[in-house]
Amino acid sequence: MKQTKHMMGMHITIEIVDRGVTDAIFESVFDYFTAVDKTFSPYKKESEISLINSGKVSENNYSDDMREIFQLADQTKQESGGYFDIRHNGKYDPSGLVKGWAIYHAAKLLEKNGYKNYFIDAGGDIQVSGKNAAGNPWRVGIKNPLNSREIIKVIAVTGEGIATSGTAERGKHIYNPHRTKAHTNDIVSLTVIGKNIYEADRFATAAFAMGREGIYFIEAKEGLEGYMIDKQGIATYTNGFANYCL
Amino acid sequence: MKKILLIFAFVILFTAFIYYKKTNQTASVNILSPKTPAEHPPANIVYKNGEYEGVLADAYWGKIQVIAVVENGKLVDVQILDYPADRLTSDRINGEALPTLIAEAIQVQHAEVDVVSGATDSSKGFQDSLRSALTQAKL
């Protein structure tokens, strides 16, 4: 059974292959994302993160989830040599961490209810578990960052998290990928496979900020594989990445 | 009478100062920069030819800076500058050679998939930097 909702400015798709799936479990997972959005959305004036940014909530009054996010953000900042930082323009925006963290916890919710074969996809960041309806590892396509209608790689995964960081899709009338005088350091997309979506997401975010060096950061880190694409459509990937490719 | 002369002199001086600043414009400060409009630049605005560097703006995954390229009065390209990534190499790799990684040209795959991974992050940083670059390019 598969359901999709548009929320938090993106699509969230849940597919559960196991028998005995009810509407109720989908509802529980979507409700969980709604609650996460209510706390962490920088676009909602009354969200906890907005109240923190406007000075209305002090650190000793943070919710447990908020405290956890800040700790994880700090840890990720240290592990990435400062390239991951939730503080921007004087305000906190932990969006780069919350998405993966939320999907991870949503997956735990499915597991707690006995589901073993599923995926949760929130805005292109994915946690898979078990096998697809055909009984095979889940087939995940990587979108072409230079043409969103195309897939340029297919990987097979059974328990991993897959996250892709990239620059925003630009209108064709502005962006010219064939311009010869391009800066060779322009990375447009970095896909990371991690042991779970939380790990994949936070390091995809951090590594993307490092530019061309990011793929070396992923290579050096245990438990992560990556596929980086530059503006010319040249991909560089880590040594273990090919093991996932179909 | 004296007061009027004083005010008049001040207006002359101020105008001269503004004229001086306009003809000696540097990339860093634009005293009379107008409030910039919506995110997507309207297609019918004519810009001065050249390359314009936007401010270093915050994207949630780091910093972003763009160069707007104008040819024949129109915006033809937006290039992204990397914020210094060389910092990472010297701080972290400790003088060891970087591992050799394999590179390939991306190729369209036609096989069926269960789900697709792609980036959907906010373009706010990109738009902020682009807007500031286009401000300088306006006639």
Side-chain angles (χ1 to χ4, degrees):
Chain A
M1 229 171 115
K2 191 180 190 179
Q3 287 191 17
T4 300
K5 270 206 173 150
H6 279 274
M7 49 176 13
M8 299 162 67
M10 61 185 174
H11 69 268
I12 298 182
T13 301
I14 306 164
E15 180 170 351
I16 306 174
V17 169
D18 302 291
R19 291 179 191 281
V21 189
T22 60
D23 279 333
I25 188 62
F26 287 99
E27 213 176 299
S28 294
V29 176
F30 287 127
D31 282 349
Y32 171 70
F33 279 112
T34 302
V36 168
D37 194 35
K38 202 167 164 204
T39 303
F40 291 103
S41 173
Y43 303 107
K44 290 181 154 65
K45 288 206 181 78
E46 295 302 311
S47 69
E48 190 183 347
I49 195 65
S50 293
L51 295 178
I52 289 170
N53 283 327
S54 58
K56 297 199 178 83
V57 171
S58 62
E59 202 177 329
N60 53 348
N61 287 322
Y62 286 4
S63 65
D64 287 343
D65 279 351
M66 186 61 71
R67 212 179 299 276
E68 183 182 342
I69 286 292
F70 269 77
Q71 277 165 9
L72 294 173
D74 203 47
Q75 192 185 324
T76 308
K77 184 175 177 180
Q78 284 176 43
E79 289 179 64
S80 66
Y83 274 87
F84 180 92
D85 195 341
I86 63 170
R87 202 168 164 83
H88 310 289
N89 296 325
K91 301 255 185 266
Y92 292 110
D93 181 6
S95 307
L97 196 86
V98 170
K99 191 160 50 146
W101 173 87
I103 299 168
Y104 177 76
H105 283 292
K108 288 272 168 269
L109 185 57
L110 289 184
E111 267 169 48
K112 208 169 78 174
N113 282 273
Y115 298 105
K116 293 187 172 26
N117 300 284
Y118 59 84
F119 76 76
I120 300 175
D121 165 20
D125 287 352
I126 303 156
Q127 176 69 57
V128 302
S129 177
K131 306 270 171 71
N132 64 12
N136 297 321
W138 292 99
R139 299 168 64 95
V140 178
I142 298 177
K143 207 190 274 191
N144 182 353
L146 305 173
N147 183 340
S148 60
R149 280 170 301 230
E150 293 174 352
I151 286 169
I152 45 78
K153 193 59 89 179
V154 181
I155 57 175
V157 281
T158 62
E160 292 85 350
I162 305 96
T164 300
S165 270
T167 48
E169 285 176 350
R170 285 146 283 190
K172 290 196 185 93
H173 66 284
I174 286 177
Y175 182 60
N176 179 3
H178 302 297
R179 185 165 178 84
T180 51
K181 204 190 154 201
H183 289 261
T184 56
N185 262 2
D186 287 344
I187 303 307
V188 290
S189 168
L190 173 60
T191 299
V192 173
I193 307 174
K195 65 175 196 239
N196 61 56
I197 182 57
Y198 167 68
E199 294 295 312
D201 195 24
R202 70 192 182 113
F203 287 120
T205 307
F208 186 75
M210 300 172 191
R212 192 159 280 277
E213 304 294 336
I215 194 68
Y216 297 101
F217 175 79
I218 299 298
E219 169 74 11
K221 215 141 178 63
E222 187 105 11
L224 298 176
E225 299 298 339
Y227 191 82
M228 170 182 83
I229 303 170
D230 71 15
K231 199 173 162 178
Q232 274 80 38
I234 303 297
T236 310
Y237 51 97
T238 56
N239 285 312
F241 184 84
N243 297 331
Y244 290 100
C245 295
L246 285 176
Chain B
M1 187 56 188
K2 235 190 206 165
K3 233 186 214 170
I4 294 172
L5 278 173
L6 214 59
I7 293 170
F8 189 63
F10 177 77
V11 170
I12 298 287
L13 280 171
F14 185 72
T15 309
F17 174 71
I18 297 301
Y19 178 75
Y20 168 74
K21 267 290 175 187
K22 271 208 119 141
T23 54
N24 290 282
Q25 215 161 45
T26 59
S28 50
V29 177
N30 188 354
I31 292 177
L32 294 181
S33 65
K35 281 277 172 273
T36 50
E39 286 183 331
H40 290 290
N44 55 354
I45 287 189
V46 181
Y47 297 104
K48 288 182 302 216
N49 291 342
E51 296 190 353
Y52 303 90
E53 209 171 270
V55 295
L56 191 63
D58 270 334
Y60 83 80
W61 38 259
K63 293 198 183 290
I64 189 167
Q65 186 172 32
V66 305
I67 287 184
V69 182
V70 179
E71 276 175 12
N72 299 320
K74 290 213 173 307
L75 180 67
V76 295
D77 191 19
V78 181
Q79 298 172 4
I80 297 178
L81 295 180
D82 260 347
Y83 195 55
D86 46 316
R87 170 164 50 126
L88 178 74
T89 317
S90 55
D91 285 353
R92 206 184 47 76
I93 307 288
N94 295 325
E96 288 171 28
L98 289 173
T100 307
L101 299 182
I102 309 165
E104 66 181 10
I106 57 174
Q107 285 189 337
V108 180
Q109 307 292 313
H110 299 287
E112 276 191 22
V113 297
D114 296 309
V115 59
V116 178
S117 184
T120 59
D121 50 353
S122 116
S123 64
K124 190 176 182 300
F126 179 88
Q127 296 290 352
D128 285 352
S129 194
L130 176 58
R131 196 180 303 128
S132 74
L134 291 178
T135 300
Q136 300 164 54
K138 284 203 181 122
L139 282 168

Coordinates of all heavy atoms in Angstrom, one line a residue, chain A residues 75-154:
Chain A
Q75 N 27.1 18.3 17.2 CA 27.9 17.1 17.0 C 28.3 17.1 15.5 O 29.4 16.8 15.1 CB 27.1 15.9 17.3 CG 27.9 14.6 17.4 CD 27.0 13.4 17.7 OE1 26.0 13.6 18.4 NE2 27.2 12.3 17.0
T76 N 27.3 17.3 14.6 CA 27.5 17.3 13.2 C 28.5 18.4 12.8 O 29.3 18.2 11.9 CB 26.2 17.4 12.4 OG1 25.3 16.4 12.9 CG2 26.4 17.2 10.9
K77 N 28.3 19.6 13.4 CA 29.2 20.7 13.1 C 30.7 20.3 13.4 O 31.6 20.6 12.6 CB 28.8 21.9 13.9 CG 29.6 23.2 13.6 CD 29.1 24.4 14.4 CE 30.0 25.6 14.1 NZ 29.5 26.8 14.8
Q78 N 30.9 19.7 14.5 CA 32.2 19.3 14.9 C 32.8 18.2 13.9 O 33.9 18.3 13.5 CB 32.2 18.7 16.3 CG 32.2 19.8 17.4 CD 32.1 19.2 18.8 OE1 32.8 18.3 19.1 NE2 31.2 19.8 19.6
E79 N 31.9 17.2 13.6 CA 32.4 16.2 12.8 C 32.6 16.6 11.4 O 33.3 15.9 10.6 CB 31.3 15.0 12.8 CG 31.3 14.3 14.1 CD 30.2 13.2 14.1 OE1 30.4 12.2 13.3 OE2 29.2 13.3 14.8
S80 N 32.1 17.7 11.0 CA 32.3 18.2 9.6 C 33.2 19.4 9.5 O 33.2 20.1 8.5 CB 30.9 18.6 9.0 OG 30.4 19.7 9.7
G81 N 34.0 19.6 10.6 CA 34.9 20.7 10.6 C 34.3 22.0 10.4 O 34.8 23.0 9.8
G82 N 33.0 22.2 10.9 CA 32.3 23.5 10.9 C 31.5 23.7 9.6 O 30.8 24.7 9.5
Y83 N 31.6 22.8 8.6 CA 30.9 23.0 7.4 C 29.4 22.8 7.6 O 28.6 23.4 6.8 CB 31.4 22.1 6.3 CG 32.6 22.7 5.6 CD1 33.8 22.5 6.0 CD2 32.4 23.4 4.4 CE1 34.9 23.0 5.4 CE2 33.5 24.0 3.8 CZ 34.7 23.8 4.3 OH 35.8 24.4 3.6
F84 N 28.9 22.1 8.6 CA 27.5 22.0 8.9 C 27.2 23.0 10.0 O 27.8 22.9 11.1 CB 27.1 20.6 9.3 CG 25.6 20.5 9.6 CD1 24.7 20.1 8.6 CD2 25.2 20.7 10.8 CE1 23.4 20.0 8.9 CE2 23.8 20.7 11.1 CZ 22.9 20.3 10.1
D85 N 26.3 24.0 9.8 CA 26.1 25.0 10.8 C 24.6 25.4 10.7 O 24.2 25.9 9.6 CB 27.0 26.2 10.6 CG 27.0 27.1 11.8 OD1 26.1 27.0 12.6 OD2 28.0 27.8 12.0
I86 N 23.8 25.2 11.8 CA 22.4 25.6 11.7 C 22.2 27.1 11.9 O 21.0 27.5 11.8 CB 21.6 24.8 12.6 CG1 21.9 25.0 14.1 CG2 21.7 23.3 12.3 CD1 20.9 24.4 15.1
R87 N 23.2 27.8 12.2 CA 23.0 29.2 12.5 C 23.3 30.0 11.1 O 24.4 29.9 10.6 CB 24.0 29.7 13.5 CG 23.5 31.0 14.2 CD 24.3 31.3 15.5 NE 24.1 32.7 15.9 CZ 23.0 33.1 16.6 NH1 22.1 32.2 17.0 NH2 22.9 34.4 16.9
H88 N 22.3 30.7 10.7 CA 22.4 31.5 9.4 C 21.8 32.9 9.7 O 20.7 33.0 10.2 CB 21.6 30.9 8.3 CG 21.9 29.4 8.2 ND1 23.1 28.9 7.7 CD2 21.1 28.3 8.5 CE1 23.0 27.6 7.7 NE2 21.9 27.2 8.2
N89 N 22.6 33.9 9.2 CA 22.1 35.3 9.4 C 21.6 35.6 10.8 O 20.6 36.2 11.0 CB 21.0 35.6 8.4 CG 21.5 35.5 7.0 OD1 22.6 35.8 6.7 ND2 20.7 35.0 6.1
G90 N 22.2 35.0 11.8 CA 21.8 35.3 13.2 C 20.6 34.5 13.7 O 20.2 34.7 14.8
K91 N 20.1 33.6 12.8 CA 18.9 32.8 13.2 C 19.3 31.3 13.1 O 20.2 30.9 12.4 CB 17.7 33.1 12.3 CG 17.3 34.6 12.3 CD 16.1 34.8 13.1 CE 15.6 36.2 13.1 NZ 16.0 37.0 14.1
Y92 N 18.5 30.5 13.9 CA 18.7 29.1 13.8 C 17.8 28.5 12.8 O 16.6 28.8 12.8 CB 18.5 28.4 15.1 CG 19.5 28.7 16.2 CD1 19.1 29.6 17.3 CD2 20.8 28.3 16.1 CE1 20.1 29.9 18.2 CE2 21.7 28.6 17.1 CZ 21.4 29.4 18.1 OH 22.3 29.7 19.1
D93 N 18.3 27.6 11.9 CA 17.5 26.9 10.9 C 18.0 25.5 10.8 O 19.0 25.2 10.1 CB 17.5 27.6 9.5 CG 16.6 26.8 8.6 OD1 15.9 25.8 9.0 OD2 16.6 27.2 7.4
P94 N 17.5 24.6 11.6 CA 18.0 23.2 11.6 C 17.4 22.3 10.5 O 17.5 21.1 10.6 CB 17.6 22.7 13.0 CG 16.4 23.5 13.4 CD 16.4 24.8 12.6
S95 N 16.8 22.9 9.5 CA 16.1 22.1 8.5 C 17.0 21.1 7.9 O 16.6 20.0 7.5 CB 15.6 23.0 7.4 OG 14.8 24.0 7.9
G96 N 18.3 21.3 7.7 CA 19.3 20.4 7.1 C 19.5 19.1 7.9 O 20.0 18.2 7.5
L97 N 19.0 19.2 9.2 CA 19.1 18.0 10.1 C 17.8 17.4 10.4 O 17.6 16.2 10.5 CB 19.8 18.5 11.4 CG 20.3 17.4 12.3 CD1 21.8 17.1 11.9 CD2 20.3 17.9 13.7
V98 N 16.8 18.2 10.5 CA 15.4 17.8 11.0 C 14.8 16.8 10.0 O 14.2 15.8 10.5 CB 14.5 19.0 11.2 CG1 13.1 18.5 11.4 CG2 15.0 19.8 12.4
K99 N 15.0 17.0 8.7 CA 14.3 16.1 7.7 C 14.8 14.6 7.9 O 13.9 13.8 8.1 CB 14.6 16.6 6.3 CG 13.7 15.9 5.3 CD 13.5 16.5 4.0 CE 14.7 17.0 3.3 NZ 14.6 16.9 1.8
G100 N 16.1 14.4 7.9 CA 16.6 13.1 8.1 C 16.2 12.5 9.4 O 15.8 11.3 9.5
W101 N 16.3 13.3 10.4 CA 16.0 12.9 11.8 C 14.5 12.5 11.9 O 14.2 11.4 12.5 CB 16.3 14.1 12.7 CG 15.9 13.9 14.2 CD1 16.7 13.4 15.2 CD2 14.7 14.4 14.8 NE1 16.0 13.5 16.4 CE2 14.8 14.2 16.1 CE3 13.6 15.1 14.3 CZ2 13.8 14.5 17.0 CZ3 12.6 15.5 15.1 CH2 12.7 15.2 16.5
A102 N 13.6 13.2 11.3 CA 12.2 12.9 11.3 C 11.9 11.7 10.5 O 11.1 10.8 11.0 CB 11.4 14.1 10.7
I103 N 12.5 11.5 9.4 CA 12.2 10.3 8.6 C 12.7 9.1 9.4 O 12.0 8.0 9.4 CB 13.0 10.3 7.2 CG1 12.5 11.5 6.4 CG2 12.7 9.0 6.5 CD1 13.4 11.8 5.2
Y104 N 13.9 9.2 10.0 CA 14.4 8.1 10.8 C 13.4 7.7 11.9 O 13.2 6.5 12.1 CB 15.7 8.6 11.4 CG 16.4 7.6 12.3 CD1 17.0 6.5 11.8 CD2 16.4 7.8 13.7 CE1 17.7 5.6 12.7 CE2 17.0 6.9 14.6 CZ 17.6 5.8 14.1 OH 18.2 4.9 14.9
H105 N 12.9 8.7 12.6 CA 11.9 8.4 13.7 C 10.6 7.9 13.2 O 9.9 7.0 13.8 CB 11.7 9.6 14.6 CG 12.9 9.9 15.5 ND1 13.1 9.0 16.6 CD2 13.8 10.8 15.6 CE1 14.2 9.4 17.2 NE2 14.6 10.5 16.6
A106 N 10.2 8.3 12.0 CA 9.0 7.8 11.4 C 9.2 6.3 11.0 O 8.2 5.5 11.2 CB 8.6 8.6 10.1
A107 N 10.4 6.0 10.6 CA 10.7 4.6 10.2 C 10.6 3.7 11.5 O 10.1 2.6 11.5 CB 12.0 4.5 9.6
K108 N 11.1 4.3 12.6 CA 11.1 3.6 13.9 C 9.6 3.3 14.3 O 9.3 2.3 14.9 CB 11.8 4.4 15.0 CG 13.3 4.5 14.8 CD 13.9 3.3 15.6 CE 15.4 3.1 15.2 NZ 15.7 2.2 14.1
L109 N 8.7 4.2 14.0 CA 7.3 4.1 14.3 C 6.7 2.9 13.5 O 6.0 2.1 14.0 CB 6.6 5.4 13.9 CG 5.1 5.6 14.2 CD1 4.8 5.3 15.7 CD2 4.6 6.9 13.8
L110 N 7.1 2.8 12.2 CA 6.7 1.6 11.4 C 7.2 0.3 12.0 O 6.5 -0.6 12.1 CB 7.2 1.8 10.0 CG 6.5 2.9 9.1 CD1 7.0 2.8 7.7 CD2 5.0 2.8 9.1
E111 N 8.5 0.4 12.4 CA 9.1 -0.9 12.9 C 8.4 -1.3 14.2 O 8.2 -2.5 14.5 CB 10.6 -0.6 13.2 CG 11.5 -1.0 12.1 CD 12.9 -0.5 12.2 OE1 13.4 -0.7 13.3 OE2 13.4 0.1 11.3
K112 N 8.1 -0.3 15.1 CA 7.4 -0.6 16.3 C 6.1 -1.2 16.1 O 5.6 -2.0 16.9 CB 7.2 0.8 17.1 CG 7.2 0.6 18.6 CD 7.2 2.0 19.3 CE 5.9 2.7 19.3 NZ 5.9 3.9 20.1
N113 N 5.5 -1.0 15.0 CA 4.2 -1.6 14.6 C 4.4 -2.8 13.8 O 3.4 -3.3 13.3 CB 3.3 -0.6 13.9 CG 2.7 0.5 14.8 OD1 1.6 0.2 15.4 ND2 3.4 1.6 15.0
G114 N 5.6 -3.3 13.7 CA 5.8 -4.6 13.1 C 6.1 -4.7 11.6 O 6.2 -5.7 11.0
Y115 N 6.2 -3.5 11.0 CA 6.4 -3.5 9.6 C 7.9 -3.6 9.2 O 8.8 -3.0 9.9 CB 5.8 -2.2 8.9 CG 4.3 -2.1 9.1 CD1 3.8 -1.3 10.1 CD2 3.5 -3.0 8.4 CE1 2.4 -1.2 10.3 CE2 2.1 -2.9 8.7 CZ 1.6 -2.1 9.6 OH 0.2 -2.0 9.8
K116 N 8.2 -4.4 8.2 CA 9.6 -4.7 7.9 C 10.0 -4.3 6.5 O 11.2 -4.2 6.1 CB 9.9 -6.2 8.1 CG 9.9 -6.6 9.6 CD 10.3 -8.0 9.8 CE 10.5 -8.3 11.3 NZ 9.7 -7.6 12.3
N117 N 9.1 -4.3 5.6 CA 9.3 -4.0 4.2 C 8.6 -2.7 3.8 O 7.4 -2.7 3.5 CB 8.9 -5.2 3.3 CG 9.6 -6.5 3.7 OD1 10.7 -6.7 3.4 ND2 8.9 -7.3 4.5
Y118 N 9.4 -1.6 3.7 CA 8.7 -0.3 3.4 C 9.8 0.7 3.0 O 11.0 0.4 3.0 CB 8.1 0.2 4.7 CG 9.0 0.4 5.9 CD1 9.8 1.6 6.0 CD2 9.1 -0.6 6.8 CE1 10.7 1.7 7.1 CE2 10.0 -0.4 7.9 CZ 10.8 0.7 8.0 OH 11.6 0.9 9.1
F119 N 9.3 1.8 2.5 CA 10.2 3.0 2.4 C 9.4 4.2 2.8 O 8.2 4.3 2.6 CB 10.9 3.1 1.0 CG 10.0 3.7 -0.1 CD1 9.7 5.0 -0.2 CD2 9.5 2.8 -1.1 CE1 8.8 5.5 -1.2 CE2 8.7 3.3 -2.1 CZ 8.3 4.6 -2.2
I120 N 10.2 5.2 3.3 CA 9.6 6.5 3.5 C 10.4 7.5 2.8 O 11.7 7.6 2.9 CB 9.6 6.9 5.0 CG1 8.8 5.9 5.9 CG2 9.1 8.3 5.3 CD1 8.9 6.1 7.4
D121 N 9.8 8.3 1.9 CA 10.5 9.3 1.1 C 9.9 10.7 1.4 O 8.7 10.9 1.2 CB 10.2 8.9 -0.4 CG 10.6 10.1 -1.3 OD1 11.4 11.0 -0.9 OD2 10.1 10.1 -2.5
A122 N 10.7 11.5 2.0 CA 10.3 12.9 2.3 C 11.2 13.8 1.5 O 12.4 14.0 1.7 CB 10.4 13.2 3.8
G123 N 10.6 14.4 0.4 CA 11.4 15.3 -0.4 C 12.6 14.8 -1.0 O 13.6 15.5 -1.2
G124 N 12.7 13.5 -1.4 CA 13.8 13.0 -2.0 C 14.9 12.4 -1.1 O 15.9 11.8 -1.5
D125 N 14.6 12.4 0.2 CA 15.5 11.8 1.2 C 14.7 10.5 1.7 O 13.5 10.6 2.0 CB 15.7 12.7 2.4 CG 16.7 13.8 2.1 OD1 17.3 13.7 1.0 OD2 16.9 14.7 2.9
I126 N 15.4 9.4 1.6 CA 14.6 8.1 1.7 C 15.2 7.2 2.7 O 16.5 7.0 2.8 CB 14.7 7.4 0.3 CG1 14.1 8.3 -0.8 CG2 13.9 6.1 0.4 CD1 14.6 8.0 -2.2
Q127 N 14.4 6.5 3.5 CA 14.8 5.4 4.4 C 14.1 4.2 3.8 O 12.8 4.2 3.7 CB 14.3 5.7 5.8 CG 14.6 4.5 6.8 CD 16.1 4.3 7.0 OE1 16.8 5.2 7.4 NE2 16.6 3.1 6.7
V128 N 14.8 3.1 3.5 CA 14.2 1.9 3.0 C 14.4 0.8 4.1 O 15.3 0.9 5.0 CB 14.8 1.4 1.7 CG1 14.7 2.4 0.6 CG2 16.3 1.0 1.9
S129 N 13.6 -0.2 4.0 CA 13.7 -1.4 4.9 C 13.2 -2.6 4.1 O 12.2 -2.5 3.5 CB 12.9 -1.2 6.2 OG 13.0 -2.3 7.0
G130 N 14.0 -3.7 4.2 CA 13.5 -4.9 3.6 C 13.5 -4.9 2.1 O 14.4 -4.4 1.4
K131 N 12.4 -5.5 1.5 CA 12.3 -5.6 0.0 C 11.1 -5.0 -0.5 O 10.1 -4.8 0.2 CB 12.3 -7.2 -0.3 CG 13.5 -8.0 0.3 CD 14.6 -8.0 -0.6 CE 15.8 -8.6 0.0 NZ 15.7 -10.1 0.2
N132 N 11.1 -4.8 -1.8 CA 10.0 -4.2 -2.5 C 8.9 -5.3 -2.8 O 9.1 -6.4 -2.4 CB 10.4 -3.5 -3.8 CG 10.9 -4.4 -4.9 OD1 10.9 -5.6 -4.7 ND2 11.5 -3.8 -5.9
A133 N 7.8 -4.9 -3.5 CA 6.7 -5.8 -3.7 C 7.1 -7.0 -4.5 O 6.5 -8.1 -4.4 CB 5.5 -5.1 -4.4
A134 N 8.2 -6.9 -5.3 CA 8.6 -8.0 -6.2 C 9.6 -8.9 -5.4 O 10.1 -9.9 -5.9 CB 9.3 -7.4 -7.4
G135 N 9.8 -8.6 -4.1 CA 10.7 -9.4 -3.3 C 12.2 -9.1 -3.5 O 13.1 -9.8 -3.1
N136 N 12.5 -7.9 -4.1 CA 13.9 -7.5 -4.4 C 14.3 -6.3 -3.6 O 13.4 -5.6 -3.1 CB 14.1 -7.2 -5.9 CG 13.8 -8.4 -6.8 OD1 14.2 -9.5 -6.4 ND2 13.2 -8.2 -7.9
P137 N 15.6 -6.1 -3.4 CA 16.0 -4.8 -2.8 C 15.3 -3.6 -3.5 O 15.0 -3.7 -4.7 CB 17.5 -4.8 -3.0 CG 17.9 -6.2 -3.1 CD 16.7 -6.9 -3.8
W138 N 15.1 -2.6 -2.7 CA 14.4 -1.4 -3.2 C 15.3 -0.8 -4.3 O 16.5 -0.6 -4.1 CB 14.1 -0.4 -2.1 CG 13.1 -0.8 -1.1 CD1 13.3 -1.4 0.1 CD2 11.7 -0.8 -1.3 NE1 12.1 -1.7 0.7 CE2 11.1 -1.3 -0.1 CE3 10.8 -0.3 -2.3 CZ2 9.7 -1.4 0.0 CZ3 9.5 -0.4 -2.2 CH2 8.9 -1.0 -1.0
R139 N 14.7 -0.4 -5.4 CA 15.4 0.3 -6.5 C 15.2 1.8 -6.4 O 14.1 2.3 -6.5 CB 14.9 -0.2 -7.8 CG 15.1 -1.7 -8.0 CD 14.3 -2.2 -9.2 NE 14.8 -1.6 -10.5 CZ 15.7 -2.2 -11.3 NH1 16.1 -3.4 -11.0 NH2 16.1 -1.6 -12.4
V140 N 16.3 2.5 -6.1 CA 16.3 3.9 -5.9 C 17.0 4.6 -7.1 O 18.1 4.3 -7.4 CB 16.9 4.3 -4.6 CG1 16.9 5.8 -4.4 CG2 16.2 3.6 -3.4
G141 N 16.2 5.5 -7.7 CA 16.8 6.2 -8.8 C 17.4 7.6 -8.3 O 16.9 8.1 -7.4
I142 N 18.5 8.0 -8.9 CA 19.1 9.3 -8.6 C 18.7 10.3 -9.7 O 19.0 10.0 -10.9 CB 20.6 9.3 -8.4 CG1 20.9 8.3 -7.2 CG2 21.1 10.7 -8.1 CD1 22.4 8.2 -7.0
K143 N 18.1 11.4 -9.3 CA 17.6 12.3 -10.3 C 18.8 13.0 -10.9 O 19.8 13.3 -10.3 CB 16.7 13.4 -9.6 CG 15.7 14.0 -10.4 CD 15.0 15.2 -9.7 CE 13.9 14.8 -8.8 NZ 13.1 15.9 -8.3
N144 N 18.7 13.3 -12.2 CA 19.7 14.2 -12.9 C 19.5 15.6 -12.4 O 18.5 16.2 -12.6 CB 19.5 14.1 -14.4 CG 20.5 14.9 -15.2 OD1 21.3 15.6 -14.6 ND2 20.5 14.7 -16.5
P145 N 20.5 16.2 -11.7 CA 20.4 17.5 -11.2 C 20.3 18.6 -12.3 O 19.9 19.7 -12.1 CB 21.7 17.7 -10.4 CG 22.7 16.8 -11.0 CD 21.9 15.6 -11.4
L146 N 20.7 18.2 -13.6 CA 20.7 19.1 -14.7 C 19.4 19.0 -15.5 O 19.1 19.7 -16.4 CB 21.9 18.9 -15.6 CG 23.3 19.0 -14.8 CD1 24.4 18.7 -15.7 CD2 23.4 20.5 -14.3
N147 N 18.6 17.9 -15.2 CA 17.4 17.7 -15.9 C 16.5 16.8 -15.1 O 16.7 15.6 -15.0 CB 17.6 17.0 -17.3 CG 16.3 16.8 -18.1 OD1 15.2 16.8 -17.5 ND2 16.4 16.6 -19.4
S148 N 15.6 17.4 -14.3 CA 14.9 16.7 -13.3 C 13.9 15.6 -13.8 O 13.4 14.8 -13.0 CB 14.1 17.7 -12.5 OG 13.1 18.4 -13.3
R149 N 13.8 15.5 -15.1 CA 12.9 14.5 -15.7 C 13.7 13.2 -15.9 O 13.1 12.1 -16.1 CB 12.3 14.9 -17.0 CG 11.1 15.8 -16.8 CD 10.7 16.4 -18.1 NE 11.8 17.2 -18.7 CZ 11.7 18.4 -19.2 NH1 10.5 19.0 -19.1 NH2 12.7 19.0 -19.7
E150 N 15.0 13.2 -15.7 CA 15.8 12.1 -16.0 C 16.4 11.4 -14.7 O 16.7 12.1 -13.8 CB 17.0 12.4 -16.9 CG 16.6 12.8 -18.3 CD 17.8 13.3 -19.2 OE1 18.9 13.5 -18.6 OE2 17.6 13.5 -20.4
I151 N 16.6 10.1 -14.8 CA 17.3 9.4 -13.8 C 18.7 9.0 -14.3 O 18.8 8.5 -15.5 CB 16.5 8.2 -13.3 CG1 15.3 8.6 -12.5 CG2 17.4 7.2 -12.5 CD1 14.3 7.5 -12.3
I152 N 19.8 9.2 -13.5 CA 21.1 9.0 -14.1 C 21.8 7.9 -13.4 O 23.0 7.5 -13.7 CB 22.0 10.3 -14.1 CG1 21.8 11.1 -12.8 CG2 21.5 11.1 -15.3 CD1 22.6 10.5 -11.7
K153 N 21.2 7.3 -12.4 CA 21.8 6.1 -11.7 C 20.7 5.4 -10.9 O 19.8 6.0 -10.4 CB 22.8 6.6 -10.7 CG 23.8 5.6 -10.1 CD 24.5 4.8 -11.1 CE 25.9 5.5 -11.4 NZ 26.6 4.7 -12.4
V154 N 20.8 4.1 -10.9 CA 19.9 3.3 -10.1 C 20.7 2.4 -9.1 O 21.6 1.7 -9.5 CB 19.0 2.3 -11.0 CG1 18.1 1.5 -10.2 CG2 18.3 3.1 -12.1

